[in-house]
């Protein structure tokens, strides 16, 4: 498991607890974070190649408003297909090969199997209690195979530069690394690119790929946490939502959370970066399309629900 970043490794470790009542939830989180991370890499490199080479290309119906598991899968597949078609040397060629090489069909079959199971769960499909452990064990075997097929990640790091300095004429970066069991402090040198502090990068030891704005860092008390973009809560107000292992962060350009912390971007900068990014990667015909957004709020009258207790569900429908 040492090859897995912390936001995939931690939920995966929880899936190994066979008797845990949350095992199915952590299997879902592991799958979501794995597919989302690969899609973030693909989309970030897609954006970089288009920008640096002035290439006019669109992925049909690519919409970042709200991203499902199937959408993450599509983003990873289509962006790596574009990178492959351009004959460009990817910073992480193993990822392109995973989606378009000899193991393509195997990867697709395994991930689609778990996506289908997850979708059935989300739509209320029930598993008999006496069959639940068997089902979860089957899902676990697939997850184990997927993490094994992702072992190439041990050649890479995911870093957040906090400070830049020069030592004996060599530029170095004090960073937080997300590879391994926990976030940790590292020193990065020998990089040919110029890195911006406060932004997250994928590094192969020589080159880097900026993962901002699809991944951001935020600080809670003394610790940093990396978050992956999830959805646009309100397009008109430019409010975004990002998810980490067991937390979420709501980005609002009118609220300056983090602006007093020099190690992370403030909300307004995240929004600026995101909308500059989205205009380049989304299907252009969707830009001016107005869609209603539905927010549901569960109102509980008591801390605990009984069988015959009444609950209220408040629905807010807005036209973004």
């Amino acid at each position: 498991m040492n090859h897995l970043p912390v936001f995939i490794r931690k939920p995966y470790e929880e899936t190994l607890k066979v008797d845990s009542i949350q095992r199915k939830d952590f299997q879902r989180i592991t799958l979501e974070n794995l597919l989302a991370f690969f899609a973030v890499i693909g989309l970030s490199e897609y954006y970089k190649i288009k920008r640096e080479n002035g290439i006019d290309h669109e992925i049909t119906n690519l919409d970042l408003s709200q991203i499902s598991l199937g959408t993450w899968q599509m983003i990873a597949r289509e962006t790596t297909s574009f990178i492959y078609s351009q004959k460009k040397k990817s910073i992480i060629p193993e990822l392109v090969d995973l989606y378009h090489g000899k193991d393509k069909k195997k990867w697709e079959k395994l991930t689609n199997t778990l996506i289908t199971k997850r979708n059935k769960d989300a739509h209320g499909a029930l598993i008999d209690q006496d069959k639940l452990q068997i089902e979860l064990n089957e899902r676990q075997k697939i997850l184990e195979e997927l993490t094994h097929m992702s072992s190439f990640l041990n050649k890479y790091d995911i870093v957040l530069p906090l400070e830049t300095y020069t030592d004996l004429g060599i530029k170095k970066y004090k960073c937080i690394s997300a590879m391994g069991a926990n976030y940790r402090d590292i020193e990065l040198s020998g990089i040919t690119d110029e890195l911006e502090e406060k932004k997250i990068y994928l590094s192969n030891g020589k080159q880097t790929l900026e993962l901002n704005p699809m991944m951001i860092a935020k600080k809670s008390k003394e610790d940093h946490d990396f978050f992956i973009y999830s959805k646009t809560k309100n397009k008109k107000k430019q409010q975004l939502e990002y998810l980490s292992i067991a937390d979420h962060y709501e980005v609002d350009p009118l609220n300056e959370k983090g602006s007093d912390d020099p190690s992370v971007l403030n909300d307004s900068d995240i929004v600026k970066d995101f909308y500059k990014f989205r205009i380049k990667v989304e299907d252009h015909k969707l830009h001016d399309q107005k869609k209603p957004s539905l927010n549901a709020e569960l109102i509980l009258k008591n801390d605990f629900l009984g069988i015959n207790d009444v609950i209220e569900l408040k629905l807010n429908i807005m036209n973004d």
Side-chain angles (χ1 to χ4, degrees):
M1 286 189 292
N2 288 333
H3 66 281
L4 296 174
V6 61
F7 47 85
I8 298 173
R9 175 169 170 163
K10 279 192 176 296
Y12 181 74
E13 287 175 341
E14 294 297 321
T15 69
L16 302 176
K17 299 175 182 177
V18 178
D19 296 325
S20 171
I21 60 173
Q22 291 184 292
R23 191 184 188 200
K24 186 168 77 166
D25 293 328
F26 281 110
Q27 287 178 337
R28 170 185 56 80
I29 293 170
T30 302
L31 178 67
E32 287 178 349
N33 288 359
L34 179 65
L35 295 184
F37 179 53
F38 284 163
V40 165
I41 294 173
L43 195 58
S44 299
E45 190 157 37
Y46 172 76
Y47 172 69
K48 180 181 180 182
I49 291 173
K50 281 186 61 175
R51 188 186 67 224
E52 291 182 349
N53 297 276
I55 298 172
D56 184 19
H57 180 274
E58 288 187 355
I59 296 174
T60 304
N61 294 326
L62 176 55
D63 182 3
L64 299 181
S65 296
Q66 186 160 353
I67 305 182
S68 65
L69 263 177
T71 305
W72 282 130
Q73 178 86 318
M74 181 274 288
I75 289 173
R77 183 182 63 248
E78 295 300 321
T79 54
T80 51
S81 174
F82 169 81
I83 296 164
Y84 181 79
S85 70
Q86 294 296 308
K87 308 299 181 186
K88 300 290 183 184
K89 173 75 172 170
S90 172
I91 188 174
I92 182 168
E94 299 92 341
L95 182 61
V96 177
D97 190 58
L98 186 65
Y99 281 89
H100 305 284
K102 61 181 177 62
D103 289 329
K104 168 189 172 181
K105 289 184 178 179
K106 180 180 179 181
W107 176 263
E108 207 167 80
K109 180 180 178 181
L110 293 174
T111 51
N112 285 343
T113 296
L114 286 186
I115 289 172
T116 299
K117 291 176 180 291
R118 161 59 187 148
N119 289 341
K120 287 181 179 179
D121 292 342
H123 288 92
L126 299 177
I127 305 171
D128 292 341
Q129 196 60 37
D130 59 339
K131 297 179 180 177
L132 180 60
Q133 200 63 265
I134 296 172
E135 173 63 25
L136 296 186
N137 288 341
E138 289 177 358
R139 296 184 187 192
Q140 191 65 25
K141 288 179 182 178
I142 299 175
L143 266 186
E144 287 174 5
E145 186 62 30
L146 294 180
T147 56
H148 174 71
M149 294 175 74
S150 307
S151 60
F152 58 84
L153 288 172
N154 63 5
K155 302 176 185 177
Y156 302 90
D157 207 341
I158 307 143
V159 297
L160 171 70
L162 300 177
E163 182 183 337
T164 309
Y165 66 100
T166 301
D167 181 21
L168 300 177
I170 299 173
K171 182 172 281 190
K172 297 183 177 182
Y173 300 91
K174 288 184 179 178
C175 302
I176 291 174
S177 167
M179 290 303 289
N182 297 288
Y183 293 105
R184 57 195 173 87
D185 297 327
I186 66 164
E187 181 185 86
L188 195 63
S189 62
I191 298 294
T192 56
D193 307 316
E194 290 286 334
L195 306 188
E196 290 185 53
E197 295 170 13
K198 308 181 185 182
K199 294 185 176 182
I200 296 174
Y201 293 84
L202 176 75
S203 168
N204 64 10
K206 294 182 179 179
Q207 298 171 297
T208 59
L209 175 67
E210 183 182 327
L211 302 181
N212 178 77
M214 294 300 289
M215 283 189 73
I216 63 169
K218 282 296 172 183
K219 195 171 183 181
S220 174
K221 296 181 180 178
E222 298 301 315
D223 299 320
H224 286 81
D225 199 0
F226 289 13
F227 291 76
I228 296 176
Y229 172 80
S230 171
K231 65 181 179 181
T232 299
K233 290 201 71 176
N234 188 306
K235 202 168 186 178
K236 192 177 293 183
K237 294 182 179 179
Q238 299 185 328
Q239 295 169 334
L240 314 172
E241 183 173 89
Y242 288 76
L243 301 179
S244 66
I245 300 168
D247 198 5
H248 75 284
Y249 183 84
E250 294 184 7
V251 173
D252 188 334
L254 298 181
N255 122 32
E256 287 301 308
K257 288 179 185 175
S259 60
D260 57 344
D261 188 328
S263 67
V264 296
L265 293 170
N266 61 41
D267 284 12
S268 60
D269 287 335
I270 292 170
V271 168
K272 287 176 188 174
D273 287 344
F274 182 80
Y275 277 88
K276 185 171 67 173
F277 179 87
R278 114 182 278 169
I279 201 76
K280 290 290 186 182
V281 299
E282 280 190 322
D283 188 335
H284 281 101
K285 72 174 181 291
L286 302 176
H287 287 165
D288 298 323
Q289 191 179 78
K290 290 188 175 182
K291 291 183 178 180
S293 63
L294 176 67
N295 289 318
E297 180 184 355
L298 184 64
I299 301 172
L300 299 177
K301 295 183 178 180
N302 301 304
D303 291 337
F304 300 96
L305 283 176
I307 293 175
N308 295 315
D309 285 349
V310 176
I311 64 171
E312 290 182 27
L313 191 63
K314 182 180 179 183
L315 298 177
N316 296 312
I317 301 176
M318 295 177 290
N319 209 3
D320 287 347

